Amino acid sequence: MSMTDLAGMRFAYSPLAEVAESLWMISSGRIRPPYRGWFEAVRGRLRRADLRLLTAVVPARPMVARFLFTGGHDPSTTIEQQLELVRELPPDVIRGELCDVWGDGPMPALVQQLAGDPSGACRLADALWDYWSVAIEPHWSRIRSVLDADVVYRASGLPKAGVAGLVTGLHPKVSMDDKGLRVGGGTVGGEDLAGAGLLLVPSAFAWPHVVLSPRYDANPPNLVYPARGVGDLWEATGTQAYDGALAALLGRSRAAILAALELPYSTTELAAKLGQSPPAVSQHLSVLRRSGLVTSWRVGRSVLYQRTALATSVVEASRPGGSG
């Protein structure tokens, strides 16, 4: 990894990578515990997506098509931008990628038909969009909050830990030595990066894996890693207002806000989630922040709020069966 690559290393979000990783999990038939809440929430809607086609395109095999990791450029990347790139893929590119995915195994007829269809790229993009609409988009705001918090955490540690500390803290299989960046024991050398830099892509669905997608056309390599907080993402956030000691201490609205802030949210997101008005939520957040129960930080144009460790101990103690 050259100095140019280090200077070009940056964070990016990839909605399409979330689609690919979640489809890989569904194809595997093994929904790991952190994702069972998500799967139960979306299972009934999945019939509106063409899962036969999509799980054939993203089977539970060692490789995932590289075009599903393309198009991420920064945290503002949208699924529409990425799917537009998929629509523009030539048939021979799709065919070559899917041949690599299936390797020596027999390629399903659905995949063969897609690869040989001049309009296959558009058909695939439409299928990916349908899946996104029912499985990922309803939860995207919450996912974004976790990704934002991950980037803020890692960027804030950069002055102390340096680039090596940042990179090696992404995943146990990621390390750096005098030869460069290593992922799973293999070196990501100068030929792979070629001065293009490296995109660090936090993901809600990559856990427990880390995925290195090599340089693809004009896109720099992507290192997709599990974002912090994924283990709690699909758990119930306890947004109900407490009727016990916490509500008596803080009031029902503030108790509900504090319970919801296990994950970071903006004022607008909290208001929509809890059915309160944004001005009222903003006023409650100001009180909670002055009391040391909530912390806040700016991400782009938004300000995210999350409860502090002290607040978490108070919330946990107030729950039925909690230590109080």
Side-chain angles (χ1 to χ4, degrees):
M1 179 181 284
S2 67
M3 291 302 296
T4 303
D5 292 317
L6 289 176
M9 187 169 62
R10 62 192 186 277
F11 288 98
Y13 298 167
S14 178
L16 189 54
E18 304 289 9
V19 167
E21 292 293 335
S22 59
L23 280 171
W24 192 95
M25 179 170 54
I26 291 175
S27 295
S28 74
R30 182 184 180 188
I31 309 299
R32 295 179 181 272
Y35 300 106
R36 288 173 184 166
W38 164 78
F39 188 66
E40 288 302 317
V42 304
R43 173 186 284 176
R45 299 194 297 264
L46 289 178
R47 68 175 67 93
R48 285 146 52 187
D50 191 348
L51 280 187
R52 286 187 64 240
L53 174 63
L54 293 176
T55 54
V57 171
V58 190
R61 297 181 69 85
M63 181 178 176
V64 179
R66 289 182 299 170
F67 61 73
L68 294 173
F69 292 92
T70 191
H73 48 81
D74 59 38
S76 70
T77 300
T78 67
I79 188 68
E80 290 87 354
Q81 291 169 334
Q82 292 182 292
L83 290 182
E84 191 59 35
L85 295 176
V86 173
R87 292 181 189 280
E88 296 171 357
L89 289 172
D92 60 325
V93 171
I94 295 179
R95 185 181 306 108
E97 289 279 316
L98 295 180
C99 283
D100 290 342
V101 167
W102 281 94
D104 297 332
M107 186 180 295
L110 272 175
V111 177
Q112 295 181 30
Q113 294 169 7
L114 181 76
D117 184 355
S119 61
C122 290
R123 180 185 167 201
L124 177 57
D126 289 342
L128 290 167
W129 172 260
D130 290 342
Y131 174 82
W132 159 268
S133 299
V134 299
I136 308 296
E137 194 277 335
H139 307 284
W140 184 239
S141 176
R142 193 173 175 191
I143 292 172
R144 274 293 307 254
S145 295
V146 171
L147 303 186
D148 288 341
D150 179 271
V151 171
V152 169
Y153 170 84
R154 298 187 191 280
S156 65
L158 185 58
K160 182 177 180 179
V163 172
L166 184 152
V167 171
T168 57
L170 298 177
H171 193 274
K173 290 187 177 181
V174 179
S175 61
M176 286 187 71
D177 57 24
D178 56 355
K179 295 182 179 179
L181 177 69
R182 290 184 174 272
V183 179
T187 301
V188 184
E191 182 180 350
D192 290 326
L193 300 184
L198 179 68
L199 293 181
L200 304 179
V201 183
S203 169
F205 286 95
W207 185 88
H209 307 291
V210 61
V211 179
L212 176 66
S213 180
R215 187 176 183 181
Y216 185 72
D217 292 337
N219 297 278
N222 285 229
L223 184 62
V224 183
Y225 66 90
R228 288 167 49 88
V230 168
D232 299 323
L233 178 57
W234 307 113
E235 296 295 327
T237 57
T239 59
Q240 73 278 6
Y242 285 83
D243 293 321
L246 188 62
L249 177 66
L250 300 175
R252 291 171 60 88
S253 294
R254 290 175 189 169
I257 289 172
L258 208 59
L261 286 178
E262 182 178 8
L263 295 174
Y265 287 103
S266 69
T267 301
T268 302
E269 291 169 338
L270 266 178
K273 187 176 186 66
L274 300 179
Q276 301 183 29
S277 69
V281 170
S282 179
Q283 184 178 15
H284 292 317
L285 286 171
S286 296
V287 173
L288 293 170
R289 184 172 55 184
R290 291 197 301 269
S291 303
L293 298 177
V294 165
T295 186
S296 64
W297 64 94
R298 180 170 291 279
V299 179
R301 297 183 178 180
S302 298
V303 176
L304 298 181
Y305 297 85
Q306 190 168 21
R307 69 189 187 213
T308 61
L310 171 62
T312 295
S313 66
V314 172
V315 171
E316 292 300 326
S318 71
R319 285 177 173 156
S323 59

mmCIF file of all heavy atoms in Angstrom, residues 93-121:
data_model
loop_
_atom_site.group_PDB
_atom_site.id
_atom_site.type_symbol
_atom_site.label_atom_id
_atom_site.label_comp_id
_atom_site.label_asym_id
_atom_site.label_seq_id
_atom_site.Cartn_x
_atom_site.Cartn_y
_atom_site.Cartn_z
ATOM 1 N N VAL A 93 -19.951 -9.141 -19.435
ATOM 2 C CA VAL A 93 -19.432 -8.889 -18.092
ATOM 3 C C VAL A 93 -20.242 -9.676 -17.068
ATOM 4 O O VAL A 93 -19.676 -10.328 -16.171
ATOM 5 C CB VAL A 93 -19.471 -7.380 -17.767
ATOM 6 C CG1 VAL A 93 -19.146 -7.137 -16.301
ATOM 7 C CG2 VAL A 93 -18.495 -6.623 -18.651
ATOM 8 N N ILE A 94 -21.550 -9.640 -17.184
ATOM 9 C CA ILE A 94 -22.399 -10.405 -16.273
ATOM 10 C C ILE A 94 -22.080 -11.891 -16.380
ATOM 11 O O ILE A 94 -21.929 -12.600 -15.379
ATOM 12 C CB ILE A 94 -23.885 -10.148 -16.566
ATOM 13 C CG1 ILE A 94 -24.237 -8.687 -16.272
ATOM 14 C CG2 ILE A 94 -24.770 -11.085 -15.743
ATOM 15 C CD1 ILE A 94 -25.680 -8.331 -16.566
ATOM 16 N N ARG A 95 -21.947 -12.377 -17.616
ATOM 17 C CA ARG A 95 -21.656 -13.796 -17.833
ATOM 18 C C ARG A 95 -20.323 -14.177 -17.194
ATOM 19 O O ARG A 95 -20.220 -15.189 -16.493
ATOM 20 C CB ARG A 95 -21.632 -14.096 -19.326
ATOM 21 C CG ARG A 95 -21.454 -15.591 -19.642
ATOM 22 C CD ARG A 95 -21.410 -15.830 -21.144
ATOM 23 N NE ARG A 95 -22.576 -15.271 -21.823
ATOM 24 C CZ ARG A 95 -22.549 -14.196 -22.600
ATOM 25 N NH1 ARG A 95 -21.400 -13.559 -22.822
ATOM 26 N NH2 ARG A 95 -23.645 -13.758 -23.181
ATOM 27 N N GLY A 96 -19.288 -13.358 -17.423
ATOM 28 C CA GLY A 96 -17.981 -13.662 -16.866
ATOM 29 C C GLY A 96 -17.984 -13.663 -15.349
ATOM 30 O O GLY A 96 -17.386 -14.541 -14.715
ATOM 31 N N GLU A 97 -18.666 -12.678 -14.747
ATOM 32 C CA GLU A 97 -18.723 -12.593 -13.288
ATOM 33 C C GLU A 97 -19.437 -13.811 -12.696
ATOM 34 O O GLU A 97 -18.990 -14.385 -11.701
ATOM 35 C CB GLU A 97 -19.445 -11.318 -12.878
ATOM 36 C CG GLU A 97 -18.666 -10.047 -13.135
ATOM 37 C CD GLU A 97 -17.640 -9.784 -12.050
ATOM 38 O OE1 GLU A 97 -17.953 -9.928 -10.857
ATOM 39 O OE2 GLU A 97 -16.496 -9.456 -12.406
ATOM 40 N N LEU A 98 -20.565 -14.190 -13.285
ATOM 41 C CA LEU A 98 -21.336 -15.299 -12.734
ATOM 42 C C LEU A 98 -20.651 -16.634 -12.982
ATOM 43 O O LEU A 98 -20.799 -17.573 -12.189
ATOM 44 C CB LEU A 98 -22.755 -15.284 -13.309
ATOM 45 C CG LEU A 98 -23.574 -14.055 -12.904
ATOM 46 C CD1 LEU A 98 -24.976 -14.117 -13.509
ATOM 47 C CD2 LEU A 98 -23.661 -13.938 -11.388
ATOM 48 N N CYS A 99 -19.880 -16.739 -14.052
ATOM 49 C CA CYS A 99 -19.069 -17.945 -14.253
ATOM 50 C C CYS A 99 -18.027 -18.071 -13.144
ATOM 51 O O CYS A 99 -17.767 -19.169 -12.636
ATOM 52 C CB CYS A 99 -18.382 -17.904 -15.618
ATOM 53 S SG CYS A 99 -19.470 -18.292 -17.013
ATOM 54 N N ASP A 100 -17.429 -16.950 -12.766
ATOM 55 C CA ASP A 100 -16.464 -16.967 -11.661
ATOM 56 C C ASP A 100 -17.138 -17.348 -10.350
ATOM 57 O O ASP A 100 -16.559 -18.071 -9.531
ATOM 58 C CB ASP A 100 -15.811 -15.587 -11.514
ATOM 59 C CG ASP A 100 -14.865 -15.261 -12.660
ATOM 60 O OD1 ASP A 100 -14.445 -16.207 -13.367
ATOM 61 O OD2 ASP A 100 -14.551 -14.076 -12.846
ATOM 62 N N VAL A 101 -18.355 -16.856 -10.143
ATOM 63 C CA VAL A 101 -19.074 -17.157 -8.900
ATOM 64 C C VAL A 101 -19.343 -18.651 -8.791
ATOM 65 O O VAL A 101 -19.112 -19.273 -7.738
ATOM 66 C CB VAL A 101 -20.392 -16.368 -8.837
ATOM 67 C CG1 VAL A 101 -21.292 -16.895 -7.720
ATOM 68 C CG2 VAL A 101 -20.110 -14.884 -8.631
ATOM 69 N N TRP A 102 -19.812 -19.260 -9.875
ATOM 70 C CA TRP A 102 -20.181 -20.665 -9.826
ATOM 71 C C TRP A 102 -18.982 -21.585 -10.027
ATOM 72 O O TRP A 102 -19.036 -22.773 -9.681
ATOM 73 C CB TRP A 102 -21.284 -20.959 -10.856
ATOM 74 C CG TRP A 102 -22.607 -20.522 -10.337
ATOM 75 C CD1 TRP A 102 -23.231 -19.338 -10.550
ATOM 76 C CD2 TRP A 102 -23.449 -21.250 -9.444
ATOM 77 N NE1 TRP A 102 -24.415 -19.269 -9.862
ATOM 78 C CE2 TRP A 102 -24.578 -20.443 -9.172
ATOM 79 C CE3 TRP A 102 -23.368 -22.512 -8.859
ATOM 80 C CZ2 TRP A 102 -25.604 -20.858 -8.333
ATOM 81 C CZ3 TRP A 102 -24.389 -22.931 -8.018
ATOM 82 C CH2 TRP A 102 -25.493 -22.110 -7.771
ATOM 83 N N GLY A 103 -17.888 -21.073 -10.569
ATOM 84 C CA GLY A 103 -16.667 -21.859 -10.683
ATOM 85 C C GLY A 103 -16.879 -23.151 -11.450
ATOM 86 O O GLY A 103 -17.442 -23.159 -12.552
ATOM 87 N N ASP A 104 -16.473 -24.242 -10.814
ATOM 88 C CA ASP A 104 -16.594 -25.559 -11.452
ATOM 89 C C ASP A 104 -17.978 -26.163 -11.289
ATOM 90 O O ASP A 104 -18.274 -27.214 -11.857
ATOM 91 C CB ASP A 104 -15.549 -26.525 -10.869
ATOM 92 C CG ASP A 104 -14.127 -26.074 -11.160
ATOM 93 O OD1 ASP A 104 -13.936 -25.397 -12.185
ATOM 94 O OD2 ASP A 104 -13.234 -26.389 -10.356
ATOM 95 N N GLY A 105 -18.819 -25.526 -10.500
ATOM 96 C CA GLY A 105 -20.152 -26.079 -10.280
ATOM 97 C C GLY A 105 -21.067 -25.798 -11.454
ATOM 98 O O GLY A 105 -20.841 -24.872 -12.238
ATOM 99 N N PRO A 106 -22.133 -26.583 -11.584
ATOM 100 C CA PRO A 106 -23.083 -26.355 -12.672
ATOM 101 C C PRO A 106 -23.867 -25.070 -12.468
ATOM 102 O O PRO A 106 -24.459 -24.854 -11.409
ATOM 103 C CB PRO A 106 -24.003 -27.587 -12.598
ATOM 104 C CG PRO A 106 -23.906 -28.038 -11.169
ATOM 105 C CD PRO A 106 -22.514 -27.728 -10.731
ATOM 106 N N MET A 107 -23.860 -24.217 -13.461
ATOM 107 C CA MET A 107 -24.576 -22.943 -13.363
ATOM 108 C C MET A 107 -26.065 -23.184 -13.568
ATOM 109 O O MET A 107 -26.468 -23.822 -14.543
ATOM 110 C CB MET A 107 -24.046 -21.966 -14.410
ATOM 111 C CG MET A 107 -24.632 -20.566 -14.282
ATOM 112 S SD MET A 107 -23.986 -19.422 -15.550
ATOM 113 C CE MET A 107 -22.267 -19.339 -15.080
ATOM 114 N N PRO A 108 -26.908 -22.703 -12.659
ATOM 115 C CA PRO A 108 -28.356 -22.909 -12.802
ATOM 116 C C PRO A 108 -28.876 -22.326 -14.113
ATOM 117 O O PRO A 108 -28.332 -21.353 -14.641
ATOM 118 C CB PRO A 108 -28.939 -22.168 -11.597
ATOM 119 C CG PRO A 108 -27.826 -22.069 -10.619
ATOM 120 C CD PRO A 108 -26.572 -21.971 -11.425
ATOM 121 N N ALA A 109 -29.944 -22.922 -14.609
ATOM 122 C CA ALA A 109 -30.527 -22.465 -15.874
ATOM 123 C C ALA A 109 -30.953 -21.002 -15.786
ATOM 124 O O ALA A 109 -30.819 -20.245 -16.761
ATOM 125 C CB ALA A 109 -31.723 -23.349 -16.229
ATOM 126 N N LEU A 110 -31.462 -20.586 -14.622
ATOM 127 C CA LEU A 110 -31.870 -19.191 -14.469
ATOM 128 C C LEU A 110 -30.706 -18.236 -14.711
ATOM 129 O O LEU A 110 -30.857 -17.196 -15.337
ATOM 130 C CB LEU A 110 -32.412 -18.967 -13.052
ATOM 131 C CG LEU A 110 -33.905 -19.223 -12.811
ATOM 132 C CD1 LEU A 110 -34.213 -19.076 -11.327
ATOM 133 C CD2 LEU A 110 -34.754 -18.260 -13.620
ATOM 134 N N VAL A 111 -29.533 -18.608 -14.217
ATOM 135 C CA VAL A 111 -28.358 -17.760 -14.375
ATOM 136 C C VAL A 111 -27.894 -17.782 -15.829
ATOM 137 O O VAL A 111 -27.490 -16.748 -16.381
ATOM 138 C CB VAL A 111 -27.228 -18.226 -13.440
ATOM 139 C CG1 VAL A 111 -25.969 -17.395 -13.645
ATOM 140 C CG2 VAL A 111 -27.677 -18.121 -11.981
ATOM 141 N N GLN A 112 -27.941 -18.943 -16.451
ATOM 142 C CA GLN A 112 -27.558 -19.026 -17.856
ATOM 143 C C GLN A 112 -28.459 -18.153 -18.724
ATOM 144 O O GLN A 112 -27.991 -17.458 -19.637
ATOM 145 C CB GLN A 112 -27.619 -20.483 -18.313
ATOM 146 C CG GLN A 112 -26.616 -21.395 -17.620
ATOM 147 C CD GLN A 112 -26.695 -22.826 -18.135
ATOM 148 O OE1 GLN A 112 -27.040 -23.066 -19.289
ATOM 149 N NE2 GLN A 112 -26.391 -23.775 -17.268
ATOM 150 N N GLN A 113 -29.763 -18.198 -18.448
ATOM 151 C CA GLN A 113 -30.702 -17.369 -19.209
ATOM 152 C C GLN A 113 -30.425 -15.889 -18.995
ATOM 153 O O GLN A 113 -30.449 -15.090 -19.940
ATOM 154 C CB GLN A 113 -32.134 -17.703 -18.789
ATOM 155 C CG GLN A 113 -32.572 -19.112 -19.155
ATOM 156 C CD GLN A 113 -33.880 -19.490 -18.500
ATOM 157 O OE1 GLN A 113 -34.532 -18.656 -17.863
ATOM 158 N NE2 GLN A 113 -34.288 -20.747 -18.636
ATOM 159 N N LEU A 114 -30.144 -15.518 -17.740
ATOM 160 C CA LEU A 114 -29.855 -14.117 -17.442
ATOM 161 C C LEU A 114 -28.596 -13.669 -18.168
ATOM 162 O O LEU A 114 -28.558 -12.588 -18.762
ATOM 163 C CB LEU A 114 -29.678 -13.933 -15.929
ATOM 164 C CG LEU A 114 -29.387 -12.516 -15.464
ATOM 165 C CD1 LEU A 114 -30.657 -11.675 -15.497
ATOM 166 C CD2 LEU A 114 -28.800 -12.519 -14.053
ATOM 167 N N ALA A 115 -27.562 -14.506 -18.130
ATOM 168 C CA ALA A 115 -26.287 -14.142 -18.740
ATOM 169 C C ALA A 115 -26.387 -14.042 -20.258
ATOM 170 O O ALA A 115 -25.631 -13.293 -20.885
ATOM 171 C CB ALA A 115 -25.219 -15.165 -18.348
ATOM 172 N N GLY A 116 -27.322 -14.766 -20.857
ATOM 173 C CA GLY A 116 -27.464 -14.730 -22.301
ATOM 174 C C GLY A 116 -28.506 -13.769 -22.806
ATOM 175 O O GLY A 116 -28.709 -13.638 -24.022
ATOM 176 N N ASP A 117 -29.175 -13.074 -21.905
ATOM 177 C CA ASP A 117 -30.258 -12.167 -22.274
ATOM 178 C C ASP A 117 -29.701 -10.757 -22.473
ATOM 179 O O ASP A 117 -29.100 -10.184 -21.558
ATOM 180 C CB ASP A 117 -31.306 -12.170 -21.166
ATOM 181 C CG ASP A 117 -32.523 -11.316 -21.508
ATOM 182 O OD1 ASP A 117 -32.513 -10.655 -22.557
ATOM 183 O OD2 ASP A 117 -33.472 -11.310 -20.701
ATOM 184 N N PRO A 118 -29.874 -10.143 -23.651
ATOM 185 C CA PRO A 118 -29.388 -8.768 -23.862
ATOM 186 C C PRO A 118 -29.962 -7.766 -22.865
ATOM 187 O O PRO A 118 -29.335 -6.750 -22.570
ATOM 188 C CB PRO A 118 -29.839 -8.449 -25.290
ATOM 189 C CG PRO A 118 -29.998 -9.785 -25.944
ATOM 190 C CD PRO A 118 -30.474 -10.707 -24.869
ATOM 191 N N SER A 119 -31.164 -8.053 -22.349
ATOM 192 C CA SER A 119 -31.769 -7.171 -21.354
ATOM 193 C C SER A 119 -31.582 -7.703 -19.936
ATOM 194 O O SER A 119 -32.266 -7.271 -19.006
ATOM 195 C CB SER A 119 -33.262 -6.982 -21.633
ATOM 196 O OG SER A 119 -33.942 -8.231 -21.559
ATOM 197 N N GLY A 120 -30.647 -8.653 -19.784
ATOM 198 C CA GLY A 120 -30.446 -9.290 -18.487
ATOM 199 C C GLY A 120 -30.030 -8.317 -17.404
ATOM 200 O O GLY A 120 -30.421 -8.460 -16.240
ATOM 201 N N ALA A 121 -29.221 -7.309 -17.756
ATOM 202 C CA ALA A 121 -28.759 -6.348 -16.750
ATOM 203 C C ALA A 121 -29.940 -5.575 -16.158
ATOM 204 O O ALA A 121 -30.010 -5.360 -14.943
ATOM 205 C CB ALA A 121 -27.739 -5.395 -17.363
#
